[in-house]
Amino acid sequence: MVQVRCGENGEPAAFVLGQTTYGPLWVEDAWSYREPWWQTDGGGRRQIYRVRSKAGHLFDLCKMPEGDWRISRLFD
């Protein structure tokens, strides 16, 4: 789980992972993913943002149905 700070539009603007803050972030893509109904209770919907940090790091940040955030992918 990571701590994400969102901008006025609700999209991730920065996040903290361990002792490192990544930001500002630029959203390169965003999409929704719905879990298949047979895998969850009612098929929770996740919002996924592909973001690039100022240093050039590329991440997929996932907002879970419960409201917490996770990194679902890190690109080298």
Side-chain angles (χ1 to χ4, degrees), residues 17-75:
L17 180 61
Q19 299 293 324
T20 305
T21 299
Y22 294 89
L25 301 175
W26 289 270
V27 176
E28 294 193 350
D29 200 3
W31 63 94
S32 292
Y33 174 76
R34 185 177 200 106
E35 292 286 339
W37 62 268
W38 60 88
Q39 291 182 353
T40 62
D41 296 334
R45 182 174 298 276
R46 299 176 184 182
Q47 185 67 29
I48 303 170
Y49 296 90
R50 180 157 295 158
V51 297
R52 186 171 301 274
S53 71
K54 183 177 181 179
H57 301 103
L58 189 63
F59 301 90
D60 282 355
L61 291 177
C62 180
K63 186 172 185 181
M64 304 300 288
E66 303 82 27
D68 59 324
W69 289 85
R70 298 187 183 162
I71 296 175
S72 61
R73 186 177 291 176
L74 166 64
F75 297 88

